[in-house]
């Protein structure tokens, strides 16, 4: 069995394919064989983009009518597989929806899952994924040993999306079957936290604050600096957990993965959870009072100092330019 | 709930199996302390009921369970079996689902979103599927209203309000509640609370296997250490210069 048939779990909200979806399609396309996108919802206007990134076929569940995607989409996938289209490999984004669908599907198919991956390699029938552990200090390679379909989830920004493939993009309906008791969770209201400026995971400059800011009011300095540099403000998990800023600001393993040109970490010690989310930044500036802080181990420019002194001076200097 | 090696200590892999060393004392995973606290608060709000812990750990390890019992949980079921060493997430979910059955009747199963050591993040949803239950992941608030649980669920851009009939599985994010510190009285009481230690076979899981193996572990390419300077009142100039060179200002 070679890896001839690869599925990618696809998110295409509002007719736009998510960047993560396009990253996975591009990687799947590079592995050879047929690439299929499996859309949670309706492909709509996103179909063209999915095809452009390599999807020869696009399954769409149609409107999920408020159902959470885990039970619904995994059931739709299982139905298609039972119908005879059985993939060798199914790739998921390591995010909320991806994890939920993948987890349910792994039980339905009785297949193991490999998560938090950053790369995949195929050698004949053998499929291996690479996963950073210990905050990215070591890379573990895990190989599937059982029967396919193999199920793996990949961290955002593990691959570069590349269009221009021009695949067929044939859209096929994959309706959600009756979910019984598993389908009981229903979304009754959606709340979007408004942010201005560039999106955190797409900004060229990210300025993040952590516990070293001392109090929530001081986060304003982070927002001002981000704004001056036309970037996005971010945060460590510690201050998100403390309720200083919304979760959508969080950079890290369970937050956003960022790879900006410049990442400025102010008052962040550099816990493993955080490092995983920002270590791929091209340039890192860290400001922290504790010279032993792990963040200095990855910083290109480390300032051992008080953020309450350095940041105001920096803002003043930038304003004067 | 998961018992993990102390995260303050550097993690180590067993060189023979390439799996995380879990031989020593294990503590209550902080991620799960939020779930334990949430469960205790829901029981408190309901006015009756109890919290039962289920866990899987090697060597009959109960240190983390005792912490959660000291917080106020009533009893625990621990699955401890050498055949489960290195188990994957799917196997873990099957085993924990079996342990839930062993623990008796339940209305709600609460879990952390992901452990601080393995951080696979799939076990709660896999357990729900094994048990045939609905589920809500990444809860930041949970309220029980009769036979329904209402959850504010984090999303990439904000949060969703979700309702779900009971019984159900809900995974909670860190920071959802402030875990209590066990009182002295709680710690003393925890010593005599029942912990039912069972094997996979006791749960009717006869053959245990998983379909993955670690084939290589290597050091990641190191990021070159940069320049580190002590702030002398002028270090902001260094930052300006750095940004200038990158043409971001």
């Amino acid at each position: 069995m070679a890896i001839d048939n690869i599925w990618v779990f696809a998110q295409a909200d509002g007719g736009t394919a998510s960047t993560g979806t396009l990253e996975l399609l591009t990687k799947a396309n590079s592995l050879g064989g047929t690439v299929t996108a499996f859309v949670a919802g309706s492909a709509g206007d996103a179909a063209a983009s999915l095809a452009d990134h390599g999807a020869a076929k696009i399954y769409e569940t149609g409107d999920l009518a408020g159902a959470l995607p885990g039970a619904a989409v995994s059931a739709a996938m299982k139905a298609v597989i039972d119908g005879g289209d059985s993939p060798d490999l199914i790739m998921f984004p390591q995010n909320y929806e991806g994890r939920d669908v993948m987890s349910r599907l792994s039980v339905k198919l009785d297949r193991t899952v490999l998560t938090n991956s950053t790369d995949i390699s195929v050698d004949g029938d053998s499929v291996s994924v690479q996963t950073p552990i210990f905050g990215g200090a070591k890379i573990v390679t895990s190989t599937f040993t059982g029967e396919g379909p193999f199920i793996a989830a990949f961290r955002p920004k593990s691959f570069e999306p590349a269009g221009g493939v021009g695949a067929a993009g044939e859209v096929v309906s994959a309706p959600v079957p009756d979910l019984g008791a598993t389908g009981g969770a229903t979304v009754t209201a959606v709340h979007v936290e408004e942010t201005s400026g560039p999106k955190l995971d797409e900004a060229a400059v990210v300025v993040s604050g952590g516990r070293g800011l001392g109090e929530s009011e001081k986060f304003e300095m982070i927002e001002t600096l981000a704004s001056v540099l036309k970037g996005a403000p971010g945060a460590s998990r510690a201050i998100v957990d403390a309720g200083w800023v919304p979760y959508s600001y969080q950079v890290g393993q369970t937050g956003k993965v960022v790879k900006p040109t410049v990442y400025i970490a102010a008052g962040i010690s550099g816990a493993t959870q955080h490092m995983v989310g920002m270590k791929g930044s091209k340039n890192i500036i860290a400001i922290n009072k504790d010279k032993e802080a792990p963040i200095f181990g990855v910083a290109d420019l480390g300032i051992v100092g008080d953020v309450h002194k350095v940041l105001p001076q920096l803002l003043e200097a930038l304003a004067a330019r | 709930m998961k018992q993990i090696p102390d995260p303050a200590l550097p993690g180590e892999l067993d060189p023979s199996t390439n799996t995380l060393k879990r031989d020593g004392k294990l503590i209550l995973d902080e991620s799960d302390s939020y779930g334990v606290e949430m469960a205790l608060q829901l029981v408190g709000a309901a006015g009756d009921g109890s919290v039962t812990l289920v866990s899987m750990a090697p060597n009959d390890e109960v240190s983390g369970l005792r912490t959660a019992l000291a917080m106020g949980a009533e009893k625990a079921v621990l699955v401890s079996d050498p055949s489960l060493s290195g188990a994957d997430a799917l196997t873990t979910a099957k085993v924990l689902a079996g342990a839930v059955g062993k623990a008796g009747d339940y209305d709600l199963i609460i879990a952390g979103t992901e452990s601080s050591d393995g951080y696979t993040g799939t076990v709660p949803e896999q357990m729900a599927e094994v048990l045939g239950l609905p589920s809500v992941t990444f809860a930041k608030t949970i309220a029980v209203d009769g036979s329904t649980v209402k959850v504010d669920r984090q999303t990439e851009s904000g949060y969703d309000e979700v309702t779900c009939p009971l019984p159900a599985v809900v995974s909670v994010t860190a920071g959802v509640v402030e875990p209590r510190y066990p009182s002295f009285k709680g710690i003393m009481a925890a010593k005599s609370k029942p912990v039912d230690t069972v094997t996979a076979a006791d749960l009717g899981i006869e053959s245990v296997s998983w379909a993955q193996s670690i084939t290589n572990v290597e050091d990641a390419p190191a990021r070159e250490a940069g320049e580190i300077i002590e702030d002398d009142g002028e270090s902001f100039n260094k930052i300006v210069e750095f940004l200038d060179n990158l043409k971001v200002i």
Side-chain angles (χ1 to χ4, degrees):
Chain A
M1 183 199 84
I3 304 303
D4 294 326
N5 183 3
I6 304 175
W7 285 10
V8 169
F9 173 73
Q11 293 162 297
D13 262 358
T16 307
S18 73
T19 310
T21 297
L22 302 180
E23 289 168 11
L24 292 188
L25 284 173
T26 302
K27 185 61 186 180
N29 199 50
S30 78
L31 297 174
T34 306
V35 177
T36 296
F38 204 110
V39 178
S42 299
D45 293 344
S49 174
L50 297 173
D52 192 47
H53 287 76
K57 193 193 283 184
I58 299 165
Y59 285 114
E60 58 173 13
T61 62
D63 185 11
L64 297 178
L68 288 179
V73 180
S74 63
M77 285 183 161
K78 175 73 160 55
V80 173
I81 291 169
D82 288 346
D85 182 359
S86 191
D88 305 310
L89 167 69
I90 311 176
M91 299 170 75
F92 286 88
Q94 183 83 23
N95 59 22
Y96 297 167
E97 294 196 352
R99 279 216 279 215
D100 286 2
V101 175
M102 169 181 70
S103 303
R104 292 264 180 188
L105 185 66
S106 79
V107 177
K108 287 182 196 296
L109 299 177
D110 198 24
R111 295 291 184 273
T112 197
V113 291
L114 292 174
T115 57
N116 283 301
S117 317
T118 52
D119 205 357
I120 180 166
S121 48
V122 174
D123 181 7
D125 296 348
S126 173
V127 175
S128 302
V129 298
Q130 281 74 43
T131 308
I133 61 165
F134 301 150
K138 287 188 183 293
I139 306 288
V140 169
T141 300
S142 305
T143 305
F144 291 99
T145 57
E147 287 179 23
F150 303 133
I151 304 173
F154 297 86
R155 286 189 183 155
K157 296 197 159 49
S158 294
F159 312 111
E160 280 289 325
V165 179
E170 179 200 0
V171 178
V172 180
S173 175
V176 176
D178 179 30
L179 300 175
T182 61
T186 308
V187 177
T188 55
V190 174
H191 299 266
V192 175
E193 283 154 357
E194 296 295 337
T195 52
S196 57
K199 285 171 72 176
L200 177 56
D201 49 358
E202 292 170 5
V205 178
V206 173
V207 185
S208 283
R211 187 76 85 173
L213 291 169
E215 53 184 351
S216 61
E217 289 70 27
K218 299 293 182 191
F219 193 78
E220 201 182 326
M221 289 193 295
I222 301 295
E223 286 179 316
T224 307
L225 182 57
S227 166
V228 168
L229 298 174
K230 299 184 177 58
S236 70
R237 175 170 154 179
I239 69 168
V240 173
D241 285 354
W244 294 6
V245 292
Y247 172 76
S248 54
Y249 283 57
Q250 184 174 318
V251 172
Q253 194 164 287
T254 46
K256 301 260 170 41
V257 174
V258 299
K259 286 191 176 178
T261 307
V262 182
Y263 187 84
I264 302 178
I268 291 177
S269 63
T272 300
Q273 209 275 350
H274 189 77
M275 299 271 240
V276 165
M278 45 66 76
K279 226 177 142 180
S281 304
K282 291 187 187 70
N283 299 279
I284 298 170
I285 301 173
I287 309 161
N288 200 297
K289 267 202 293 203
D290 176 11
K291 66 178 177 194
E292 303 296 330
I295 193 83
F296 288 128
V298 299
D300 300 280
L301 174 61
I303 308 286
V304 182
D306 185 349
V307 289
H308 303 103
K309 290 183 184 153
V310 180
L311 284 182
Q313 289 172 324
L314 177 61
L315 284 168
E316 204 173 304
L318 291 172
R321 284 170 68 93
Chain B
M1 54 148 286
K2 192 168 184 183
Q3 303 175 91
I4 62 165
D6 188 341
L9 306 171
E12 251 188 286
L13 296 178
D14 182 324
S16 60
T17 61
N18 278 328
T19 53
L20 192 65
K21 273 194 180 176
R22 299 165 54 81
D23 300 339
K25 185 183 168 185
L26 302 175
I27 63 168
L28 169 63
D29 189 345
E30 191 195 346
S31 302
D32 287 334
S33 66
Y34 297 100
V36 173
E37 177 63 36
M38 176 57 81
L40 292 169
Q41 289 188 13
L42 289 173
V43 164
D48 65 354
S50 65
V51 177
T52 300
L53 310 166
V54 298
S55 186
M56 179 174 117
N59 309 325
D60 296 353
E61 177 61 42
V62 292
S63 301
L65 285 173
R66 292 286 174 210
T67 302
L69 290 168
M71 288 169 72
E74 194 164 90
K75 60 187 167 64
V77 175
L78 171 68
V79 189
S80 195
D81 188 330
S83 74
L84 295 170
S85 173
D88 67 355
L90 178 58
T91 305
T92 305
K94 289 177 183 174
V95 167
L96 290 177
V100 165
K102 180 90 178 164
D105 291 339
Y106 56 88
D107 300 303
L108 179 61
I109 299 171
I110 297 181
T113 50
E114 63 181 10
S115 67
S116 307
D117 58 350
Y119 58 87
T120 308
T122 58
V123 170
E125 191 82 3
Q126 286 172 318
M127 279 180 72
E129 182 68 22
V130 172
L131 294 166
L133 296 177
S135 56
V136 188
T137 51
F138 285 92
K140 53 181 220 162
T141 67
I142 305 179
V144 173
D145 181 7
S147 59
T148 302
V149 60
K150 294 187 174 181
V151 174
D152 284 353
R153 178 188 192 247
Q154 279 183 357
T155 63
E156 313 284 332
S157 54
Y159 69 96
D160 289 349
E161 292 176 40
V162 181
T163 63
C164 183
L166 296 173
V169 177
V170 178
S171 74
V172 301
T173 58
V176 62
V177 281
E178 189 63 40
R180 69 193 68 184
Y181 286 104
S183 64
F184 178 72
K185 197 176 150 198
I187 293 167
M188 296 311 289
K191 290 179 195 284
S192 56
K193 287 182 176 175
V195 177
D196 187 5
T197 303
V198 298
T199 63
D202 292 337
L203 301 173
I205 300 171
E206 294 298 342
S207 95
V208 178
S209 66
W210 40 91
Q212 66 181 69
S213 69
I214 293 176
T215 45
N216 189 40
V217 179
E218 59 189 23
D219 290 338
R223 218 191 143 94
E224 293 247 335
E227 185 185 8
I228 297 180
I229 56 170
E230 297 265 353
D231 179 41
D232 57 357
E234 296 292 327
S235 66
F236 66 92
N237 282 322
K238 276 279 191 190
I239 301 176
V240 172
E241 191 184 317
F242 191 90
L243 296 172
D244 215 359
N245 286 339
L246 292 170
K247 300 189 175 12
V248 298
I249 53 173

